[in-house]
Amino acid sequence: MVRRLQWALQRGGFSRAGSARELCERDGWRNPRGKLYAASARKALPRLAKQLGLALPPIQVRGPSCRQRGVQGPRPVQFAGSLRQLGEVWLERAQTPAQRRLRADLLRSGHPLGAGRAPGCRVQYLLASRLGPVSVLSFVAASLRLGPRDRHLGWDDRTRGARVGAVVSNDRWSGYELDR
């Protein structure tokens, strides 16, 4: 693997992502589902290149996202008034592909960080009303290690391992605030 990386970097013409994919394919570095460990390889490349005294190609910046180009997707309901005036609201779990696309579109157009791609499990909800979607909520699996949280809860390694599966994190919320 080291010789291959040296060869690829000295030869040039590879991006960092391309170098990572090439290494994974050549050495059969795949997860149990057969997909390349390309993200892990991209993360390890700078450290490995530094140890070998090799220069990596510059990071390639992608073009602007839809949000940056000003493309507007669906927006949550714009409503000025109280929750009582809005009427009944309900949570819908975003389970179908259409619901997940709507949730992602709403976050892309209404959240500063966009829809995001969280590792691990994610549970997504749409808060809806008779007028349409009001808000989006997204929860992800908690970080395995989080010093301040673990200290606050008094968790040692063993306790954290036994209990972290019962913790979730709210990673995205987007919608319009209603008057109280």
Side-chain angles (χ1 to χ4, degrees), residues 103-125:
R103 180 215 55 94
D105 289 345
L106 290 168
L107 285 174
R108 271 193 291 277
S109 66
H111 193 280
L113 298 175
R117 289 182 59 190
C121 298
R122 177 180 263 181
V123 179
Q124 308 159 347
Y125 295 94

Side-chain angles (χ1 to χ4, degrees), residues 34-176:
K35 293 192 176 196
L36 298 176
Y37 278 117
S40 297
R42 278 193 314 274
K43 187 174 179 181
L45 270 178
R47 189 176 30 199
L48 184 57
K50 184 177 179 182
Q51 288 174 353
L52 297 172
L54 297 170
L56 286 175
I59 295 174
Q60 295 179 355
V61 179
R62 292 182 181 170
S65 69
C66 292
R67 195 168 29 98
Q68 293 167 326
R69 288 191 307 256
V71 174
Q72 292 294 316
R75 306 274 305 170
V77 169
Q78 294 188 28
F79 181 79
S82 69
L83 189 57
R84 182 172 290 136
Q85 291 170 318
L86 179 61
E88 182 182 0
V89 294
W90 57 91
L91 275 178
E92 295 177 353
R93 184 159 176 200
Q95 293 179 305
T96 68
Q99 289 171 321
R100 287 195 297 272
R101 275 192 305 277
L102 174 60
R103 180 215 55 94
D105 289 345
L106 290 168
L107 285 174
R108 271 193 291 277
S109 66
H111 193 280
L113 298 175
R117 289 182 59 190
C121 298
R122 177 180 263 181
V123 179
Q124 308 159 347
Y125 295 94
L126 298 167
L127 181 64
S129 74
R130 61 183 165 75
L131 300 176
V134 175
S135 181
V136 175
L137 298 145
S138 180
F139 298 93
V140 296
S143 300
L144 295 178
R145 291 182 180 270
L146 195 59
R149 176 202 64 204
D150 298 345
R151 284 190 296 279
H152 175 76
L153 295 173
W155 284 359
D156 57 19
D157 285 344
R158 185 176 180 185
T159 306
R160 180 183 53 251
R163 297 187 179 166
V164 75
V167 179
V168 296
S169 295
N170 173 227
D171 79 321
R172 296 286 191 276
W173 177 86
S174 180
Y176 292 95

